Amino acid sequence: MNTDMKKKMSAPHVTRHSVRASAIIRSDQIHRYMDHGRDFIQDDLIWEKIHKQKNPDPVRIRDIIQKSLTIQTLNPDETAALLNVKDKDLWQEMRGAAIEVKKRVYDNRVVTFAPLYCSNLCINNCLYCGFRSENKAVQRRMLTQAEVRRETEVLAGEIGHKRLIVVYGEHPKTGLDYMIETIRTIYDVKVKTYKGTGNIRRVNVNAAPLSIDDLVRLNGSGLGTYQVFQETYHHETYRKLHPVNTVKGNYAWRLYSLHRAQEAGVDDVATGVLFGLYDWRFELMGLLYHARDLEQKMGVGPHTVSFPRLEAAINTPFIDKTPYRVSDEDYKKILTVIRLSIPYAGMIITARETPEIIREMIPMCTQRDASSRIGVGAYSDPYEKQEAHRQQFILGDTRSLDEVIRELAQMGYITSFCTAGYRCGRTGKRIMDLLRSGREGQFCKLNAVLTFREWLDDFASEETKKAGETVIQKEMEEIKNRCPSVYSKAICRKLDSYYDLIKKGDRDLYF
Ligand code: SAM
Ligand code: SF4
């Protein structure tokens, strides 16, 4: 190491990380997606559009709603008009349309999943996060492969999950090789259940931005969706919250992480905002610009959108200081505008929210987590489960998957554990085209019935089974009523035979 480098390394907070940042970040893998050296978020232009659309005419709003109902992505002026609506009744109309959009694209299905925190080691120092490197109140831990296996056994064998989102801090010890190993370990777990076998069929990843080469490797490990939240789209706020000497301090490296993923062959990419860092109206516009840029440059927009709100975290004073915390009322508006602006995208509401909010907003969402624990190792180690010093933040809905599924069934929703689309190549652009046309839903409806039956037989309490069976019966009737106009007689016969086989203990049969 030369003297300059040594000097840099001894400066406070800086160098170990900044050296690493320059080793990780590939500027050619940022600039290739930019337009004349600019990224697609122009802060002034966004504010100009928001201000220009003040007091929108209700007639225009209704026209925009009609466009959403044809499952077309809105343009920035249209989204800006929606978020400027003041009239309560018009918001109710928008809510009704948002629910209708969800129904047209995804019917009455809700997908459930659980987060699996593999490590809270992190070299970054995001001011709002309990895992930030300077937070000494958090105990650091990364799971060994044996521990990943134990966690998965609980998730797949006791709770009954089929999908996970695996979460990592950013750290050399939990880099690409570790991620790939954990994904393989998870897929490898098979647990005997009451009537069949439990296993995880889709592993999604929430991790730091990676290079294209690394993403190619990650994709090869059986990756489901690759999820990176931009946190805030506002350049200046981003700069303030992510120290410049950290890897995460590079806004554009993060902004184009999903473009890189798509270039690397990852079909399903997921974006999100951490609401509470900056003005929610600006962030909504940022999400829309992101979706449109992915559509325009990479041919397909985000598979899902997430919209977590900032939550309290241990020893994290920033959270009490931010002036941008989002009220429940504004949060509901945010979800409504996302649903109408990017109508094809899945929308993920999480257990960070309270049961009341989730109940109210689930009709326009497609996915939620349940039985979630966000401490590292918290599923298999009961001592861990409520401990704030290993958690990233505090959850709002700690109900079990069984309770959640029962409530959903009582509300008329079928919980789908289907992961077939991905395994039949119905991903990326293909799934987007199918979703827009409503055709993907035909397969999904059948697979939802089959996978829900599996789950009810393997994991449900008696009460939940009863509620679930009422929903299955209704679904079966709807399918039969669409036979042979939508479903051929052969498909209906196959459904009956698969259903009977599943009842006898066969697993993972799908269309
Ligand atoms: N380290 C990776 C990264 O930052 O992208 C992935 C893991 S990080 C734990 C996952 C997400 O947690 C972040 O993208 C951020 O949006 C969210 N998060 C961080 N602090 C939070 C807080 N206090 N409340 C709610 N969500 C938070
Ligand atoms: Fe690390 Fe991610 Fe938390 Fe930032 S948000 S401190 S990168 S774990």
Side-chain angles (χ1 to χ4, degrees), residues 128-129 167-168 206 229 231 248 254 274 311 352 392:
Y128 46 83
C129 180
V167 185
Y168 314 84
N206 180 308
F229 302 157
E231 321 294 13
K248 193 150 164 182
R254 197 165 182 89
L274 182 53
E311 299 293 340
R352 291 167 166 103
Q392 190 191 10

Side-chain angles (χ1 to χ4, degrees), residues 114-117 151 154-155 159 351 369-386 391 395 398:
L116 173 54
Y117 278 69
E151 293 279 280
V154 174
L155 286 158
I159 303 172
D369 57 331
S371 280
S372 298
R373 292 187 187 158
I374 53 172
V376 180
Y379 291 105
S380 51
D381 181 356
Y383 172 72
E384 283 299 328
K385 68 182 173 202
Q386 300 305 340
Q391 290 192 173
L395 289 176
T398 51

Side-chain angles (χ1 to χ4, degrees), residues 18 58-59 64 68 74 80 84 91 116 124 160 166 169 175 203 230 235 245 285-286 322 324 331 360 365 377 407 427:
S18 54
V59 176
I64 297 171
S68 302
L74 298 186
N84 268 309
W91 273 109
L116 173 54
N124 294 312
V166 194
V203 181
Q230 185 60 25
H235 287 87
N245 56 318
M285 295 291 284
T322 172
Y324 297 111
Y331 193 63
E360 199 175 332
C365 295
E407 181 179 274
T427 53

Side-chain angles (χ1 to χ4, degrees), residues 196-402:
T197 334
N199 65 325
I200 298 299
R201 299 175 187 164
R202 182 167 171 95
V203 181
N204 300 329
V205 165
N206 180 308
L210 298 170
S211 69
I212 295 174
D213 288 350
D214 285 355
L215 284 159
V216 168
R217 282 189 59 207
L218 190 67
N219 201 28
S221 68
L223 168 73
T225 305
Y226 177 62
Q227 183 182 64
V228 177
F229 302 157
Q230 185 60 25
E231 321 294 13
T232 172
Y233 284 98
H234 188 247
H235 287 87
E236 195 193 324
T237 305
Y238 191 95
R239 250 192 313 276
K240 283 188 193 152
L241 300 180
H242 307 99
V244 72
N245 56 318
T246 60
V247 183
K248 193 150 164 182
N250 191 316
Y251 176 100
W253 178 242
R254 197 165 182 89
L255 192 67
Y256 289 106
S257 55
L258 303 183
H259 291 65
R260 287 196 297 281
Q262 290 184 327
E263 192 168 333
V266 178
D267 277 336
D268 296 333
V269 297
T271 181
V273 158
L274 182 53
F275 282 96
L277 304 180
Y278 188 56
D279 191 296
W280 62 268
R281 295 168 302 164
F282 184 98
E283 304 290 24
L284 265 183
M285 295 291 284
L287 273 176
L288 179 80
Y289 273 102
H290 200 166
R292 290 176 65 87
D293 206 69
L294 286 168
E295 285 177 21
Q296 281 157 15
K297 299 217 174 80
M298 313 310 291
V300 53
H303 182 67
T304 57
V305 176
S306 294
F307 28 82
R309 274 194 280 190
L310 196 60
E311 299 293 340
I314 189 167
N315 191 30
T316 305
F318 166 82
I319 291 162
D320 301 318
K321 290 187 202 144
T322 172
Y324 297 111
R325 291 294 284 270
V326 169
S327 66
D328 287 353
E329 202 184 323
D330 286 343
Y331 193 63
K332 293 174 198 170
K333 290 181 180 170
I334 290 171
L335 270 64
T336 305
V337 176
I338 295 176
R339 177 71 297 155
L340 293 173
S341 298
I342 319 172
Y344 57 82
M347 281 178 61
I348 304 179
I349 191 159
T350 70
R352 291 167 166 103
E353 299 301 329
T354 59
E356 293 70 36
I357 293 279
I358 299 178
R359 213 169 284 136
E360 199 175 332
M361 302 317 288
I362 201 75
M364 60 182 83
C365 295
T366 58
Q367 296 194 29
R368 63 154 301 168
D369 57 331
S371 280
S372 298
R373 292 187 187 158
I374 53 172
V376 180
Y379 291 105
S380 51
D381 181 356
Y383 172 72
E384 283 299 328
K385 68 182 173 202
Q386 300 305 340
E387 288 204 7
H389 65 267
R390 277 192 189 158
Q391 290 192 173
Q392 190 191 10
F393 45 80
I394 316 295
L395 289 176
D397 184 357
T398 51
R399 288 176 300 165
S400 69
L401 182 60
D402 186 78

